[in-house]
Amino acid sequence: MPDWLLTLLITVVKAVAVILALLTTFAYMTLVERKLLGRFQIRVGPNRVGPMGLLQPAADAIKSIFKEDLQVTMADKLVYTLAPIIAIGMALTAFGGIPAGPAGSLFGENPWVYNLDAGVLALLALTSMGVYGIFLGGWASGSKYPMLGGLRSSAQMISYELGMGLSILGLLMLVGSTRFTDIVLWQGANGWMILFQSLGFALFMISSFAETNRTPFDLVEAEQELVAGYLTEYSAIKWALFQMAEYVNMITASALMATLFFGGWRGPGFLNGIIPGIADLPIVWLVVKIGFFLFVFIWVRATLPRLRYDQLMRFGWKLLLPLALFNTVLVAGYVAFFSAWGWWPLALLSLLGLIALLALSDTVRQLWTPPRRESELPRVPSRSAGGD
Amino acid sequence: MLLVALSIGILAVLVSAILGPKKSSRTKLMAYESGNDPEGGGVGTGQRFPVHFYLVAMLFIIFDIETAFFFPLAVAYQKLIPFAFFEAITFVLLLLVGYYYVLKKRVLEWT
C-alpha cells in the first residue's frame, strides 16, 4: 500500500472517530443538560427512558429521523436544505484541529486530525462560517420570524467574533505561534496561560458564550420573544442538525478554552508529586477540562437571565472590544519593555485588570443600560379633548 | 475532515427524507404566524429590516481587518520589538479615532 494512501486512510479513520465521538457527546450532552437543569431547579431530569434516562438521547434521535420533514411553501428549497448541512459541517470540522496529546501518543499516530500552522486562525474562520448556516437558514425559511432571528444572530455572532479574535492576541504575542501544539508546549514550559492572561480569558469566555448562542446571549432563539428564531420553520432532522451544530460548537469552545488557557492535554504538574504520572494522561485531562467547561455552560444557563438585544450589542462593542484592545496593548507594552523581568508581573497586571473589571462592573454596567434622559422617556400620549 | 463532516450532514438529511412520512397539506406548509394567514415575509419579497444591521456588518468588516493585521504582528512580535510596539500603538490610535467617531455618531445605540 503506498504511503500517501495509508496516511489518507488513517486521517479518514480519525476523522470518522472524532465525528462519532462528538455526536455521542452531543447526544449525552442534551441529557446531562436536562438532568443538571433539573437538579438546579430541585427536580429530577429525564429518568423514564432506560436506566436513569440513559436511552433518552437515542429516543430523541429516532424520533427526529422519523418525523415529517416539512418545508414551507415560500421557502427557498436548495438553501433551506443546505443551511443545516453547512452548520453541522463547519461545527464538526472545527474540532479536528484540537490536539489531544503529544505527537505520536495515539497508538503511534498523532492525536489530532489536522494540525495547521495557522491553527487558531483556521478554527476561528471555521466557527465563523457557522454564521452562514444560521443566517441562510433564517433567510431561506420564507417567513419573517426566522428572517429576524437570522439577522440578529449574524449581527451578534460577528460582533462577538471581534472580541474573540482580539482577546487571544495577547496570548499569541507571548507564545509567538498560532499552532495549537506550540501553545500547549509553551504552557508546559511556563505554566498555564490563564495565569498570565486572566483578563484575556474572561473576555474570551464571554465571547465564546455569545458565539455559541448560549444564555445569557441566546437571543437568536429567544423562545419568549421571537418564537424560535431561525429554527421556527425547521422540523425533523434539519432542526436536530442545527441543535447538533450548536452543541458541537459548545464542545469546541470548551476544548478551545482548555487548550488555549488551561494547558490543553497536560494535567497540573504538581499532582505528579503526589501520584507520579497522573498529570501525563493526555486525553483524560483534556476530557476532564472540556467536561468542566461544559458544566459551566449549563450552570450559567441555569443562573443568568437573558440580555436585551441593544444591551447585547452595547456590551459587545463598548466593553468587550475596548477591553480586548487594552489587553493587547498591555501585553504588547510589557513584552516590549519589561520582558527581562519574566512573565509573572504580567500575571499580576492581568489579574488586577480582571479585579478592576469585576469591582467596577456596577459602574460599567451603565454603558449598556445608560440612564435615560428626561427627554428620551417615552411620552404618555395626552388625550385630546374630542376623545378617540 | 470537512468532507466527512459534510457527508454526515447529507446522510442524515437523506435518511430522514426516505424514512419520514410525507403527508403535506396546504395548511401544514403555511408559514408560522400564530394561526393567521402569513403576511409579507418570504424569500424574494424584498422584506425590509433596520439599517443598523448594515452598520454593524460594516464595522465588523473594518475591525476584523484590523484583527487580521494584528495576527501576523502578534506572532512575529518578539522578533520585532520595540519597533513593532510603536507601530502597533500608532495603528490602534488611528483606529480608536474612528471608533470614537462611531461612538459619537451613536451607531452602536439600538433604540
Side-chain angles (χ1 to χ4, degrees):
Chain A
M1 198 186 284
D3 210 22
W4 61 269
L5 194 63
L6 192 67
T7 319
L8 183 70
L9 201 68
I10 289 173
T11 313
V12 169
V13 167
K14 275 194 291 193
V16 171
V18 165
I19 285 173
L20 288 184
L22 276 177
L23 294 187
T24 319
T25 321
F26 147 73
Y28 278 94
M29 184 66 200
T30 54
L31 176 69
V32 168
E33 172 162 35
R34 288 168 68 183
K35 280 265 185 197
L36 277 177
L37 283 180
R39 289 292 165 199
F40 282 126
Q41 297 164 1
I42 325 181
R43 56 187 173 85
V44 282
N47 64 351
R48 282 288 173 265
V49 191
M52 291 152 51
L54 279 178
L55 292 180
Q56 184 75 43
D60 286 341
I62 293 171
K63 181 199 74 178
S64 65
I65 286 177
F66 280 98
K67 278 184 86 170
E68 183 174 2
D69 195 1
L70 287 174
Q71 191 173 6
V72 182
T73 357
M74 296 289 282
D76 187 304
K77 295 204 168 29
L78 176 67
V79 183
Y80 182 83
T81 319
L82 209 57
I85 297 177
I86 294 178
I88 187 69
M90 296 309 158
L92 288 174
T93 310
F95 193 85
I98 307 273
S105 70
L106 189 79
F107 309 118
E109 295 298 326
N110 292 333
W112 52 75
V113 182
Y114 56 87
N115 187 27
L116 303 175
D117 283 341
V120 179
L121 289 176
L123 206 143
L124 284 179
L126 279 172
T127 44
S128 54
M129 283 291 282
V131 182
Y132 281 105
I134 289 179
F135 181 68
L136 288 180
W139 174 79
S141 288
S143 169
K144 47 192 154 186
Y145 299 106
M147 174 81 181
L148 288 174
L151 269 175
R152 274 179 164 200
S153 94
S154 47
Q156 165 189 343
M157 285 171 87
I158 62 178
S159 301
Y160 280 81
E161 208 184 303
L162 281 180
M164 209 167 180
L166 282 174
S167 60
I168 56 170
L169 281 177
L171 177 153
L172 294 181
M173 278 179 189
L174 290 179
V175 178
S177 167
T178 46
R179 197 186 259 268
F180 281 119
T181 42
D182 288 350
I183 293 174
V184 175
L185 284 181
W186 190 92
Q187 296 181 72
N190 294 294
W192 287 3
M193 192 56 91
I194 173 79
L195 300 171
F196 311 106
Q197 285 288 307
S198 43
L199 183 58
F201 171 69
L203 300 175
F204 186 81
M205 186 160 165
I206 294 172
S207 343
S208 56
F209 271 75
E211 273 286 293
T212 49
N213 296 324
R214 292 292 292 184
T215 40
F217 305 107
D218 63 339
L219 290 143
V220 181
E221 43 197 310
E223 298 94 349
Q224 301 89 338
E225 297 160 26
L226 252 189
V227 196
Y230 64 99
L231 286 172
T232 309
E233 301 296 355
Y234 276 95
S235 59
I237 198 75
K238 289 176 189 158
W239 181 86
L241 283 182
F242 272 124
Q243 287 297 88
M244 220 184 266
E246 183 191 323
Y247 278 84
V248 170
N249 274 333
M250 247 164 78
I251 299 169
T252 311
S254 309
L256 200 53
M257 284 191 269
T259 305
L260 292 181
F261 293 96
F262 283 82
W265 40 266
R266 278 169 197 278
F270 65 88
L271 282 185
N272 268 341
I274 305 169
I275 309 166
I278 196 173
D280 302 322
L281 302 167
I283 294 182
V284 177
W285 278 106
L286 188 67
V287 168
V288 166
K289 287 169 190 171
I290 291 177
F292 170 74
F293 283 112
L294 289 179
F295 175 74
V296 172
F297 269 102
I298 299 170
W299 189 8
V300 167
R301 174 170 177 187
T303 309
L304 291 179
R306 188 179 289 143
L307 266 74
R308 218 170 50 213
Y309 194 68
D310 59 328
Q311 295 172 334
L312 171 93
M313 294 310 262
R314 256 190 237 122
F315 181 73
W317 283 97
K318 288 192 176 174
L319 192 67
L320 217 62
L321 184 70
L323 269 181
L325 263 182
F326 167 75
N327 184 46
T328 310
V329 172
L330 183 79
V331 177
Y334 187 83
V335 173
F337 300 113
F338 304 105
S339 54
W341 298 353
W343 302 129
W344 291 105
L346 184 63
L348 204 62
L349 275 180
S350 193
L351 197 62
L352 280 181
L354 186 63
I355 290 172
L357 173 66
L358 290 180
L360 292 175
S361 61
D362 270 344
T363 323
V364 171
R365 187 174 294 143
Q366 293 186 355
L367 270 178
W368 62 93
T369 48
R372 287 191 169 181
R373 268 172 268 138
E374 196 67 26
S375 58
E376 280 177 331
L377 286 177
R379 294 230 180 84
V380 182
S382 55
R383 253 161 219 261
S384 54
D388 43 16
Chain B
M1 185 80 199
L2 183 64
L3 288 180
V4 180
L6 285 179
S7 55
I8 291 272
I10 295 169
L11 194 73
V13 171
L14 281 183
V15 165
S16 161
I18 294 167
L19 291 180
K22 289 167 210 66
K23 282 187 228 103
S24 57
S25 64
R26 206 191 69 83
T27 336
K28 229 188 211 176
L29 294 185
M30 236 160 58
Y32 173 80
E33 199 150 319
S34 304
N36 300 327
D37 281 331
E39 252 180 70
V43 176
T45 50
Q47 209 180 22
R48 300 187 187 185
F49 50 86
V51 73
H52 267 117
F53 291 109
Y54 280 119
L55 295 176
V56 167
M58 277 196 283
L59 285 180
F60 165 72
I61 291 175
I62 293 168
F63 280 92
D64 207 38
I65 290 175
E66 177 211 346
T67 324
F69 280 134
F70 259 124
F71 274 112
L73 182 72
V75 170
Y77 191 69
Q78 298 199 13
K79 291 168 201 141
L80 299 175
I81 45 179
F83 166 72
F85 176 70
F86 297 108
E87 290 289 296
I89 286 289
T90 318
F91 185 53
V92 168
L93 282 182
L94 279 177
L95 266 165
L96 281 183
V97 173
Y99 181 73
Y100 183 73
Y101 179 74
V102 168
L103 275 189
K104 283 293 140 186
K105 275 281 181 187
R106 296 171 68 80
V107 173
L108 303 174
E109 304 291 332
W110 294 64
T111 46

